[in-house]
Amino acid sequence: RMKDTDMMAESINYFSETYPHLVPSGIAFKNKLADTITHSITSLNQQQQSEHNISLLHSSESLLPPPKSPSSSSSSSSSSSSSSGTETMQASGGAEERTVKKITHNYPYFDHHMLPLMPKPPNPPSFFHQCRMLLANMGLLGESSEGRIHYLQPGMRLTRSLKELDKLSGRESMKIGVIYVKEGQETQHSILANDNCSKPYLDFIEGLGWNLNIGSHMGYKGGLDSRSTGEVAVYYENPLTEVMFHDVTKMPTSVDDVQQIHKKRHVGNDNVHIVWSEHKRNYNPATITSQFNHAHIIVYPIPNGLYRIQLFQKEKIAPFGPLSNGMVLSKAILAPLVRATAMNANFVSRKSSDMYARPFIPRIDLIKEITDRYKEERPFAEFLSSLFPVNGSTAANQARPSGSEFAAAHPPPSKEAPQPPSNWLTAKKDPPVKKETVQLGSNSRITPP
């Protein structure tokens, strides 16, 4: 919610400088963005002013004097004097009444008897409320869903299995190495020992993703650990992919280790390397010795402010894009295009292996395994009765039941055949039907009862 023009100006400058390639005219883009932000600020101010007027209207109505009756008005007109307290009350009442009329005149579309603008969310009546809403919205509570919903026996083993399922991401996860080469560096030891960088390289890294804390990050970590690889890393995500960048400069440098094994352990196992080289000579892809490193995307800064791209790939790797060898890019589009090219190169490298499988396939297999292991056969009607308990007290349903308590409250149905009562031989029988013999003559007829 931007409320002042300074923040609006900063936003306009930021968007125009960061994304100049997305619009044909920078001036038109600035004007359009300025109109949009100005409209948002105006709408926000109107909403706040309306809420203030509504609150003032409520307070004004509470302070208005009661309406005068004809008798009281005639008696007050006949009387020639009144007390000072009465005059003060009438003056204040007239001022409040004028305030109410002014608000009603300026904002006729507001009803002061309307409901609150932001109602509070209702408290769920029971622990199963969200589950019932989800199943109802998905259409899984009808008779046609019988056999499609499986009841799982709760317990600690099921909880551990669900935690293992949560560790399998449904998105494509990638780890990409980022290497910084200073001027004059040509050996693996000197490159891996870098723990500082230049300002252009830092701007490029910030364009690849977001800096996050490894210890508090709940998503894909790419094998990084805050205790050994540093607390900060560069991360990027979209609805289909998670990318963790192994930046050599962000990992701690060991003074006693010349080979920097803890850095090479991550960078050497990456399929794709992004190399920022400030050296005058071209970068050699064999500098970091490893069995992986199937593709290299090398960025060379040019003195005129542009950047030259050089690509290397192994023979078994199929072509990838959108960048190609020899391209020259500006700073504004450098980081997004390099990131997209590295992600495509990583996907092509994985796809060339026979062991590759899409991320949702292991999740489906584990879900089937959990279902087969903990499935409990129950009638669908009994499942619905446990989901919709007929209990008058909703306070008892607020606490979450444990696995043992839930299993004790909902025992599995007995599979034994029902037995007849023990006194079925001596049970009272129906009285015998009385049979009557009727002889019919030649002229007789049967009269229905």
Side-chain angles (χ1 to χ4, degrees), residues 128-426:
F128 299 102
H129 178 71
Q130 302 296 337
C131 178
R132 291 195 292 258
M133 293 293 295
L134 175 63
L135 296 177
N137 293 334
M138 296 180 66
L140 297 177
L141 295 181
E143 297 180 356
S144 60
S145 300
E146 187 173 0
R148 299 173 58 189
I149 299 180
H150 303 285
Y151 178 80
L152 303 182
Q153 180 64 36
M156 295 301 299
R157 297 176 59 188
L158 176 61
T159 303
R160 288 193 298 267
S161 300
L162 293 179
K163 290 182 179 179
E164 294 297 327
L165 177 63
D166 292 338
K167 294 180 181 180
L168 295 179
S169 176
R171 296 182 288 181
E172 191 83 23
S173 57
M174 303 179 182
K175 50 182 183 178
I176 298 174
V178 184
I179 301 173
Y180 174 68
V181 181
K182 295 182 180 180
E183 183 178 356
Q185 292 182 343
E186 295 184 356
T187 62
Q188 171 181 306
H189 298 165
S190 61
I191 293 175
L192 293 181
N194 289 331
D195 53 1
N196 52 27
C197 59
S198 61
K199 182 62 169 59
Y201 174 77
L202 184 61
D203 296 339
F204 171 72
I205 286 295
E206 292 179 352
L208 292 178
W210 310 282
N211 291 325
L212 53 80
N213 187 282
I214 294 296
S216 60
H217 179 53
M218 302 300 295
Y220 177 67
K221 297 184 179 181
L224 299 181
D225 185 10
S226 59
R227 293 173 295 181
S228 59
T229 60
E231 298 181 355
V232 181
V234 180
Y235 172 80
Y236 174 78
E237 68 171 359
N238 57 33
L240 301 177
T241 313
E242 288 183 282
V243 184
M244 181 62 71
F245 294 95
H246 293 163
D247 185 7
V248 174
T249 61
K250 294 185 180 299
M251 300 181 184
T253 302
S254 178
V255 181
D256 301 332
D257 188 5
V258 180
Q259 297 182 358
Q260 305 296 330
I261 297 298
H262 64 287
K263 289 186 179 182
K264 187 177 178 181
R265 181 178 58 186
H266 297 281
V267 179
N269 293 326
D270 294 334
N271 293 329
V272 180
H273 280 179
I274 300 175
V275 182
W276 179 280
S277 178
E278 297 178 355
H279 192 33
K280 295 180 180 179
R281 297 182 182 179
N282 288 342
Y283 178 79
N284 185 7
T287 302
I288 307 295
T289 57
S290 175
Q291 296 179 357
F292 298 92
N293 310 149
H294 302 314
H296 292 78
I297 305 171
I298 309 171
V299 181
Y300 299 98
I302 304 176
N304 60 358
L306 301 179
Y307 302 88
R308 179 171 63 92
I309 303 298
Q310 188 178 18
L311 301 181
F312 290 98
Q313 63 191 70
K314 294 185 178 180
E315 296 180 356
K316 65 176 183 179
I317 304 300
F320 52 86
L323 295 181
S324 60
N325 193 19
M327 278 188 171
V328 178
L329 307 176
S330 63
K331 180 181 178 180
I333 61 176
L334 176 64
L337 290 180
V338 170
R339 180 183 62 219
T341 305
M343 293 170 60
N344 292 336
N346 190 89
F347 178 74
V348 170
S349 176
R350 284 184 174 182
K351 197 174 181 181
S352 61
S353 175
D354 298 335
M355 303 298 296
Y356 171 72
R358 299 303 295 269
F360 54 83
I361 296 180
R363 285 184 59 87
I364 293 177
D365 296 338
L366 185 55
I367 291 175
K368 292 181 180 179
E369 180 182 350
I370 293 175
T371 303
D372 296 338
R373 181 180 300 178
Y374 303 103
K375 181 172 63 174
E376 181 179 341
E377 298 295 339
R378 283 197 174 189
F380 187 68
E382 185 176 351
F383 166 74
L384 293 180
S385 63
S386 64
L387 195 62
F388 297 89
V390 184
N391 190 356
S393 63
T394 58
N397 297 328
Q398 293 289 341
R400 179 174 183 173
S402 61
S404 58
E405 295 175 353
F406 192 88
H410 303 81
S414 177
K415 298 183 179 180
E416 299 179 357
Q419 300 294 334
S422 58
N423 58 344
W424 67 279
L425 291 175
T426 59

Side-chain angles (χ1 to χ4, degrees), residues 72-91:
S72 61
S73 60
S74 59
S75 61
S76 60
S77 60
S78 61
S79 62
S80 58
S81 62
S82 60
S83 63
S84 59
T86 306
E87 292 177 354
T88 305
M89 183 179 299
Q90 291 178 355

